[in-house]
Amino acid sequence: MAAEDQAPRTEPRPDKAKKRKKPKKDKWGQPLSAASPEVEPSVEPAQEPPAKGVAPAAGAEAAAAPEGYEPSKVVASGLPYTTTEADIRKLFEFYGPLGSVQLSRFPDSGNFRGLAFVCFESDEDAVKSLELDGFKIGNRYMRVERCRVTASSNKKRKTEFQSDPEKSLGCLSAYVGNLSWNVTEKDLRDFFKSSKIASIRFAIDKSTGGSRGFCHVDFQDDESLEKAVAMNQSELQGRPVKVAYSVSNRG
């Protein structure tokens, strides 16, 4: 048979897609990236934190405006109830040194309620940590935002930083402020162990049911009150505690 009569060679079809190599994935099922940081929170997320030094996500610069926000402080919400303070620290310390981590808890059970306040040593690091907004932990997406200054916190600041009130006649109560949200009655009794305490009245946020960060302590005698007030600015759970004579309209 002549060469011309032979069947033509079949050319590869141009629309046939080439087989692609499957990308390598990490233990969470996400594609490996050379820029991925070496951070592995103990609560296993579905993605890695953004690489350090990467520009903040859209909207982060607007949120960095200091007016109306607590300096160097962010609030993380939507966390799994099984998250621990160590988990939160390991995740946020990637962006810079932390000052404190406060876990909000249910007042009846004391269990973590999925809300945490994270204080950095610098406001710049706090702004960088906003990149974690939308980060997935377990089956939940965490929300991270600047901590707003509320009317109650403004009122508390005025109370704490103005001159201390004078002791009123017959006063046996003290105002105790700048408390961590997870401070318990036992913690306070241990803190004022040299004084005789009659009762402790925590200020409760009506909307959340959690502590507002201050309380009033009633003492059994004047000597106990004076010992307590002398402990003003002593440290409890890493925070300097404000202790002052209670005024009658708050008592």
Side-chain angles (χ1 to χ4, degrees):
M1 184 181 290
E4 295 85 3
D5 297 330
Q6 293 180 0
R9 296 177 61 186
T10 302
E11 296 293 335
R13 295 177 61 182
D15 58 339
K16 187 175 182 180
K18 294 182 179 180
K19 291 185 179 179
R20 298 181 181 178
K21 292 183 179 179
K22 293 183 179 180
K24 293 183 179 180
K25 296 182 179 181
D26 59 20
K27 67 179 182 180
W28 297 296
Q30 298 299 306
L32 290 174
S33 171
S36 296
E38 297 179 0
V39 176
E40 295 185 5
S42 53
V43 176
E44 294 190 352
Q47 63 188 52
E48 293 283 351
K52 194 172 184 179
V54 174
E61 299 218 352
E67 186 176 355
Y69 294 91
E70 293 277 359
S72 308
K73 190 173 184 179
V74 299
V75 56
S77 57
L79 294 164
Y81 292 155
T82 54
T83 309
T84 66
E85 181 176 336
D87 296 329
I88 297 171
R89 283 187 174 276
K90 190 171 184 179
L91 188 60
F92 281 88
E93 280 177 344
F94 177 75
Y95 295 93
L98 302 182
S100 65
V101 175
Q102 303 154 18
L103 275 63
S104 179
R105 300 180 182 276
F106 292 106
D108 53 347
S109 64
N111 294 331
F112 179 52
R113 62 190 301 146
L115 178 71
F117 297 88
V118 182
C119 295
F120 286 85
E121 291 185 2
S122 77
D123 194 66
E124 182 182 358
D125 291 338
V127 175
K128 289 178 182 178
S129 75
L130 297 178
E131 296 171 359
L132 287 172
D133 187 34
F135 185 72
K136 188 175 183 181
I137 296 183
N139 294 322
R140 307 190 68 176
Y141 290 91
M142 175 175 61
R143 183 177 182 184
V144 180
E145 56 189 330
R146 295 298 296 263
C147 187
R148 292 182 179 274
V149 176
T150 62
S152 60
S153 62
N154 277 332
K155 183 178 180 181
K156 182 177 72 171
R157 284 185 174 186
K158 289 180 181 179
T159 300
E160 293 186 353
F161 294 109
Q162 287 178 353
S163 58
D164 293 340
E166 297 291 334
K167 183 180 180 182
S168 60
L169 183 64
C171 175
L172 289 177
S173 299
Y175 165 82
V176 183
N178 197 36
L179 296 174
S180 174
W181 273 263
N182 58 351
V183 165
T184 65
E185 181 171 334
K186 182 181 183 303
D187 294 330
L188 287 171
R189 289 186 179 275
D190 291 341
F191 183 68
F192 294 118
K193 60 185 178 182
S194 61
S195 298
K196 298 177 182 178
I197 296 176
S199 63
I200 298 175
R201 295 166 287 138
F202 282 96
I204 303 299
D205 189 319
K206 293 180 180 179
S207 61
T208 65
S211 169
R212 292 174 58 191
F214 69 93
C215 69
H216 291 85
V217 180
D218 301 319
F219 295 92
Q220 295 182 15
D221 51 56
D222 188 71
E223 181 183 359
S224 295
L225 173 62
E226 294 301 328
K227 287 180 179 179
V229 173
M231 294 179 66
N232 183 38
Q233 298 304 315
S234 296
E235 191 173 288
L236 175 61
Q237 294 189 1
R239 297 171 68 103
V241 175
K242 176 69 177 180
V243 185
Y245 298 119
S246 177
V247 294
S248 57
N249 63 353
R250 286 188 293 154

